[in-house]
Amino acid sequence: MAGINIFPIVVVLFLVSNTFPMLEAIDEKALAECKKHFSIKYAHDAYNYIFHGQPISVTSCRAIVAVGKKCHDTFLDWTLGGSIGIRRSKALARGKQLWNHCVLTTVAPASSSY
């Protein structure tokens, strides 16, 4: 009786595993701490900005900047870890764009018309 040659199976599994980037481990403690200081409404607004290209309000931007960059990145990593079919590189770029937009929105003085 001939034995099964598992070498081709191992090679295929190796190639497939290297094709998909490893998801970063989420710091659950940091995530829980960030969630304490952030409303689901603002998270929803950020999600719609990043994944659906919708505008974001100044109020939501202020909330995002108030929790800080580390929390913003933690939320984005957590969202990407639980989502299927999302282009990670595009979502990370949009997340960075959101952060920069919100920082500029909250730091820049309100323009006044004379």
Side-chain angles (χ1 to χ4, degrees):
M1 183 167 188
I4 298 174
N5 186 358
I6 65 167
F7 181 73
I9 296 170
V10 172
V11 170
V12 168
L13 291 175
F14 176 76
L15 292 173
V16 169
S17 69
N18 286 328
T19 303
F20 300 103
M22 293 288 291
L23 296 176
E24 296 175 16
I26 301 297
D27 181 353
E28 296 293 331
K29 187 176 179 181
L31 180 63
E33 186 62 32
C34 290
K35 284 182 178 180
K36 289 179 187 178
H37 306 286
F38 201 66
S39 163
I40 190 70
K41 184 224 181 301
Y42 304 133
H44 189 261
D45 289 348
Y47 181 90
N48 283 332
Y49 180 94
I50 293 169
F51 297 104
H52 300 293
Q54 295 180 1
I56 191 160
S57 69
V58 173
T59 304
S60 293
C61 272
R62 285 187 184 129
I64 290 167
V65 172
V67 296
K69 179 85 164 89
K70 182 178 180 188
C71 284
H72 169 73
D73 292 343
T74 299
F75 285 136
L76 185 55
D77 286 341
W78 178 73
T79 302
L80 289 173
S83 301
I84 298 173
I86 292 177
R87 287 186 37 212
R88 185 174 177 80
S89 60
K90 183 177 180 182
L92 290 172
R94 288 286 294 165
K96 184 177 180 179
Q97 182 182 15
L98 171 64
W99 177 259
N100 292 337
H101 167 76
C102 286
V103 167
L104 288 174
T105 300
T106 58
V107 173
S111 60
S112 60
S113 53
Y114 293 95

